[in-house]
Amino acid sequence: MKKLINDPKAVVDESVEGFGLAHADLVTVHPDPLFVSRKEAKSGKVGLLSGGGSGHEPLHAGYVGFGMLDAAVPGAVFTSPTPDAIIPATLAADSGAGVVHIVKNYTGDVLNFETAAEMAQAEGVEVRTVLVNDDVAVEDSLYTAGRRGVGGTVLVEKIAGAAAERGDGLDAVAAIGQRVNDNVRTMGVALSACTVPHAGVPSFELGEDEIEIGIGIHGEPGRHRIPMENADGITDRLLEPILADLKPAPGEKVLLFVNGMGGTPASELYIVYRHAVKVLEGAGLVVERSLVGNYITALEMQGCSISVLRLDQEMTSLWDAPVHTPALRWGM
Amino acid sequence: MTGSGNGSGQVLDAAWAIDWLRRSAAVVSENRVALIELDRAIGDGDHGENLDRGFTAIVAKLDQETPATPGAAFKMAAMTLMSKVGGAAGPLYGTAFLRAGTAVGDATALDASMLVAALTAARDGVVARGKAASGEKTMIDAWTPAVEAAAAEAAADGGPAVVLAAAADAAEAGAIATDPLIARKGRASYLGERAIGHRDPGAASSALILRAAADAAAASAGSAAGGSAPAGSAS
């Protein structure tokens, strides 16, 4: 393992410390328990908080700022944070109008956020939870922990964040976050594994000519392993289950999000995007908005995910609304 | 000696509970890499690291304060695991110790039937938090046979050391029996039948921790029989 680190146990703390120094104009880093909060927020605004294992940067701390999150709670690498960090972060995100927790559907995240929400409510903060579960790779969710929350999380955070910024109430912000989740589907592929710093060896072995289809964002294996294909072939494989599940009608407008897993160059992501647009247009859809880049990663894993969000007028305008965070900025 | 100690007359006190936690920390640390390997195969490879972090924090607490009852020791362990571990293991083990602590209340010494009550409450807590059932390739596949074996030994008038030894044996067998199962809960559930052939890391760590409880009880029985050094002197 070659990594630009000092001590495997200090990776998260040192990384967040550097993040705080680099973006001191936007965020405040609270070291113990570890969470990141927005520097300046409107009083009386609904607070938006997310968190989860580290290793998915820029998620979530990268999205703390104007028009998105008020607080983010990083856990250990690929491990959800604990309630004793989520609770003070929730209190910090509250300015009197309550807090929405955006939680990816992974067992650990759900358990810890559930506990923290209960305890924050006991402290007098109203909490609503949006559980993100956009991953179509999970075929038989009745018999598993359910679909995972993956790329769609970024879209939920942006759109719900804009709703909170314009002054929507607690239930309305949670409702629009839920609506984004209900209308987005994601599928991912890994071309290589990643190495968790404290494990020191890759999360799984993948042959030179093999790829994993249907991965999550934790370096866990996917549902199927197949021989390597070209970019267009892989893009087809990712879009097929998305469209089969989302069932968009011809003429519908969508947001197309091609996300890198951390180890794939932008040029390759654009090759995927290029073909994905053709496939969607071929299905009669209108690609109204797009996002291409590393937004929710799995350390240095090679691969990508494709998310398709069915847009309505309100979601589009909230997507376009100004945002100023370390990792996403437009309109201001 | 066979570990039967002084039979059903034995009771386990706070020193046993503290010894259990210290032995758990040692065995988790020794098996940190092995647990990471099991989790890497079907999860994300953090189980050994997370539990090691939690039990190391428990030992640090024990170095500063000495719980007066087994229940106080369990509750301290629960709060520490919940605040230091994260992931699924933190809330699940935390709930197990919290429910065990509640089940034994302020009792200063536990007999076999109270141990069974504590183990049962711990198992029920894991079931409730994890919303999982037996046969889904989780910690419960170690805990449920452990509870059943412990109850059977207690009903046959076995003492605490015998009860816990039976629980540890059954947990180990239960962990091994997760190998051929398809996972239905947690991250391994996304693998479908590819999880077959791999041991559930949570069941494996449960077996290690229950073995530590049995070892602490056997040491306590030995020292009680010998009337020499107090249990829990290992550090």
Side-chain angles (χ1 to χ4, degrees), chain A residues 320-331:
Chain A
D320 291 344
V323 59
H324 186 186
T325 68
L328 208 61
R329 181 182 186 180
W330 59 68

Side-chain angles (χ1 to χ4, degrees), chain A residues 93-167:
Chain A
D94 181 46
S95 65
V99 176
V100 176
H101 283 179
I102 296 172
V103 182
K104 298 184 298 303
N105 189 33
Y106 278 96
T107 307
D109 291 283
V110 172
L111 289 178
N112 286 283
F113 274 89
E114 215 171 64
T115 308
E118 249 175 61
M119 294 175 84
Q121 308 220 59
E123 301 261 334
V125 179
E126 276 292 299
V127 177
R128 300 285 182 276
T129 299
V130 175
L131 196 61
V132 184
N133 61 347
D134 54 318
D135 173 26
V136 292
V138 180
E139 291 152 0
D140 53 350
S141 58
L142 272 181
Y143 304 102
T144 69
R147 291 180 167 183
R148 299 169 287 207
V150 286
T153 312
V154 178
L155 311 183
V156 172
E157 290 178 2
K158 169 66 185 84
I159 291 173
E165 201 68 61
R166 75 177 178 189

Side-chain angles (χ1 to χ4, degrees), chain B residues 107-162:
Chain B
T108 52
L110 310 182
D111 62 13
S113 69
M114 292 176 84
L115 276 177
V116 172
L119 292 175
T120 306
R123 188 271 316 267
D124 292 350
V126 175
V127 170
R129 265 259 161 247
K131 300 177 183 75
S134 289
E136 295 186 328
K137 202 175 182 104
T138 72
M139 284 168 68
I140 293 160
D141 292 320
W143 278 88
T144 290
V147 166
E148 286 167 359
E153 279 299 340
D157 217 18
V162 179

Side-chain angles (χ1 to χ4, degrees), chain B residues 36-78:
Chain B
I36 286 173
E37 284 300 307
L38 290 180
D39 193 28
R40 222 164 56 82
I42 60 172
D44 59 350
D46 61 2
H47 189 61
E49 180 70 17
N50 289 345
L51 274 192
D52 189 32
R53 187 170 61 243
F55 277 98
T56 299
I58 288 174
V59 167
K61 278 231 170 103
L62 287 173
D63 288 343
Q64 287 169 3
E65 56 188 87
T66 305
T69 62
F74 296 163
K75 282 181 185 167
M76 182 278 276

Side-chain angles (χ1 to χ4, degrees), chain A residues 71-259:
Chain A
V73 196
V77 174
F78 291 172
T79 300
S80 88
T82 55
D84 74 330
I86 303 170
I87 294 161
T90 304
L91 300 183
D94 181 46
S95 65
V99 176
V100 176
H101 283 179
I102 296 172
V103 182
K104 298 184 298 303
N105 189 33
Y106 278 96
T107 307
D109 291 283
V110 172
L111 289 178
N112 286 283
F113 274 89
E114 215 171 64
T115 308
E118 249 175 61
M119 294 175 84
Q121 308 220 59
E123 301 261 334
V125 179
E126 276 292 299
V127 177
R128 300 285 182 276
T129 299
V130 175
L131 196 61
V132 184
N133 61 347
D134 54 318
D135 173 26
V136 292
V138 180
E139 291 152 0
D140 53 350
S141 58
L142 272 181
Y143 304 102
T144 69
R147 291 180 167 183
R148 299 169 287 207
V150 286
T153 312
V154 178
L155 311 183
V156 172
E157 290 178 2
K158 169 66 185 84
I159 291 173
E165 201 68 61
R166 75 177 178 189
D168 284 14
L170 182 61
D171 288 322
V173 172
I176 195 126
Q178 187 61 49
R179 200 161 95 220
V180 174
N181 181 61
D182 293 345
N183 284 283
V184 64
R185 300 290 187 277
T186 301
M187 183 86 172
V189 61
L191 311 186
S192 73
C194 60
T195 299
V196 177
H198 61 240
V201 284
S203 301
F204 56 91
E205 276 101 44
L206 205 50
E208 212 14 66
D209 54 345
E210 290 178 322
I211 58 175
E212 285 274 347
I213 295 279
I215 52 154
I217 50 168
H218 297 87
E220 69 267 56
R223 291 216 41 124
H224 308 289
R225 182 168 292 195
I226 59 168
M228 181 63 195
E229 293 182 3
N230 64 23
D232 287 1
I234 291 171
T235 304
D236 286 336
R237 279 187 191 275
L238 298 184
L239 279 173
E240 195 179 315
I242 289 173
L243 294 176
D245 201 86
L246 193 61
K247 300 187 181 69
E252 279 200 277
K253 295 167 177 168
V254 297
L255 184 157
L256 172 58
F257 173 26
V258 175
N259 173 61

